[in-house]
Amino acid sequence: MPNADNWQGDVLRDLRGTPPPQRAQSHGAAHGHRPAQEQQQPPQEQPQPRTGARAPGPNTPASSPAPAAPPARMQRPARSPDSRPVVDSALSGTARRPRQGEPAAARVSRAIRRIVSSSAAREVAEITRTAERIQQPVTTGRQIAVTSIRGGAGKTTVAALLGTAYAHYRQDPVLLVEADPALGSLPLRLGAETLRWTTADLADIVEPQMSLLDVTGYLVQLPDNAWLLPGSQGRIGAMLDTAAYERVMVALRRYFGVTVVDCETLPAEVARVALSAAQARVLAAPATLDGITSTYAVLQWMQGLPSHMIAGTVVALTSTTSRPGIDVEDAAEKLRSTGATVHVLPHDRHLAAGGALRTELLARPTRLAATRLAAEVFQLSQKRR
């Protein structure tokens, strides 16, 4: 039976069919926080593991057996990788100035309606209730996997919105992991400027005795006590195997209250492992006919899996244009008939531009919808150990 204190290890051991490891240090002791100015970069040279037995001393009898060799430690990289820019300097000048999520006329009209209808108080009350749901304490780190059926469905945008919402409302550290090394765009979406250490690198570095200070030295710091672990440095051909992903996620679960994983598209192997091990899953789907058709087929397939899989899945139905070619509400009801929860993210000009996410430029309906989505997903993750 899964152990509540080591839920991730139990799940991953079941997937691999391996015996249980020794218990790691407690989760609560590792949830420390430090100011940004105290961060330290990891050392350029890492100590090499000792693999041989100690040589006999001068008082050791020649016939005495040598002490047993200590268990070999995980091999660390011999040198620090070079930092690389997220956006090549030759392309950085092509980006236009970020736009507001909705036109000025729409913003003014919305503000007038809120004043006339006295809906501002109700809206504040709803935001307060939503924030309280997101701020609930956790006993073990919650891991939320975001994936899609195909590229261009908005999964990285959804992952960035979720991570930003959790970092804004929660007090404990929040981690965003890019498990899509094939030129993933999560660092760009989160406004990172340079990358160094990746998920595959950290798999060979992280050890149980590390503190949060040690771990965050290998991560990219984001606003609001959030951290990013990139999947690659933008190089074509970068790979991430399931063993490396498992090592990283099992090791990091005790440092962060919530971890959002931007997975590969299904049916990639790492994505399947991430979905199985996560407490909640988000399936990003575009509000198009082919998008809801493929998503509906996947949800029907999930109905044949253990019931907690589809019960813990939320579909983020994203409108890719201001006038979708389908009835979005009718499509959402059809998807809900499978047992999954569905949230609709309205079209937003700022998100559609594909640049760095700036919450102050999001349209108000987008901010509210993203916060409700984050609260719903977090509530579902609390139901699983």
Side-chain angles (χ1 to χ4, degrees):
M1 179 176 295
N3 187 322
D5 294 330
N6 195 17
W7 54 268
Q8 186 76 12
D10 291 325
V11 172
L12 295 176
R13 284 198 302 275
D14 292 342
L15 292 172
R16 296 194 302 268
T18 55
Q22 295 181 352
R23 183 180 299 273
Q25 78 178 72
S26 66
H27 170 77
H31 270 240
H33 173 61
R34 59 189 176 83
Q37 61 266 28
E38 296 180 6
Q39 297 164 25
Q40 300 178 358
Q41 291 298 323
Q44 298 295 316
E45 298 291 336
Q46 300 291 348
Q48 297 298 320
R50 295 181 300 170
T51 56
R54 185 178 60 185
N59 298 324
T60 303
S63 58
S64 300
R73 295 173 62 191
M74 191 175 297
Q75 181 70 30
R76 292 187 178 186
R79 58 181 295 273
S80 168
D82 296 329
S83 294
R84 291 174 60 91
V86 173
V87 179
D88 191 280
S89 58
L91 302 175
S92 58
T94 62
R96 293 181 175 177
R97 183 178 178 180
R99 304 173 69 189
Q100 288 280 351
E102 58 183 350
R107 298 197 302 272
V108 172
S109 175
R110 189 182 306 281
I112 294 175
R113 289 199 304 271
R114 291 177 66 231
I115 295 174
V116 173
S117 63
S118 301
S119 62
R122 293 194 300 271
E123 188 175 291
V124 170
E126 179 190 358
I127 293 175
T128 302
R129 289 192 299 269
T130 304
E132 290 174 350
R133 296 171 66 190
I134 297 177
Q135 292 168 348
Q136 292 181 22
V138 296
T139 55
T140 54
R142 304 289 87 185
Q143 294 187 2
I144 297 167
V146 183
T147 189
S148 62
I149 308 304
R150 57 178 176 79
K155 70 175 180 63
T156 298
T157 299
V158 171
L161 288 171
L162 290 176
T164 301
Y166 295 136
H168 177 73
Y169 286 106
R170 297 189 61 82
Q171 297 299 316
D172 47 11
V174 173
L175 177 64
L176 291 99
V177 176
E178 185 180 46
D180 185 1
L183 296 179
S185 58
L186 186 60
L188 174 62
R189 273 308 213 184
L190 293 173
E193 296 182 355
T194 59
L195 305 176
R196 176 175 291 177
W197 303 92
T198 67
T199 306
D201 294 329
L202 204 59
D204 295 329
I205 295 173
V206 67
E207 294 179 348
Q209 68 271 21
M210 282 184 168
S211 66
L212 179 62
L213 178 67
D214 297 325
V215 171
T216 54
Y218 296 97
L219 306 177
V220 179
Q221 186 173 15
L222 303 171
D224 293 327
N225 203 28
W227 305 87
L228 166 67
L229 179 56
S232 72
Q233 290 186 322
R235 292 187 175 95
I236 296 177
M239 299 296 293
L240 176 64
D241 57 54
T242 57
Y245 175 80
E246 291 171 2
R247 287 200 302 272
V248 168
M249 298 306 291
V250 171
L252 296 183
R253 73 181 185 273
R254 64 191 179 91
Y255 298 102
F256 300 93
V258 180
T259 298
V260 178
V261 185
D262 180 17
C263 301
E264 297 174 289
T265 55
L266 291 171
E269 185 177 6
V270 172
R272 295 200 305 270
V273 172
L275 291 176
S276 300
Q279 283 81 38
R281 290 151 292 279
V282 179
L283 190 60
T288 60
L289 183 58
D290 62 331
I292 63 168
T293 299
S294 56
T295 302
Y296 185 67
V298 170
L299 293 176
Q300 287 182 311
W301 168 77
M302 291 180 68
Q303 287 178 316
L305 301 176
S307 58
H308 72 269
M309 289 294 292
I310 196 164
T313 298
V314 178
V315 177
L317 194 57
T318 58
S319 298
T320 55
T321 64
S322 57
R323 295 180 60 86
I326 62 171
D327 188 318
V328 176
E329 290 302 326
D330 283 351
E333 285 301 320
K334 183 64 174 179
L335 296 177
R336 291 189 185 102
S337 68
T338 63
T341 304
V342 180
H343 279 260
V344 177
L345 292 176
H347 174 69
D348 190 287
R349 297 191 310 177
H350 177 61
L351 292 179
L357 173 63
R358 293 175 52 181
T359 54
E360 72 275 12
L361 295 181
L362 292 174
R364 190 170 189 84
T366 305
R367 290 200 300 270
L368 295 176
T371 306
R372 287 193 291 265
L373 172 64
E376 181 74 29
V377 175
F378 182 75
Q379 284 290 102
L380 292 178
S381 74
Q382 289 282 63
K383 297 179 181 180
R384 292 288 299 172
R385 293 296 180 184

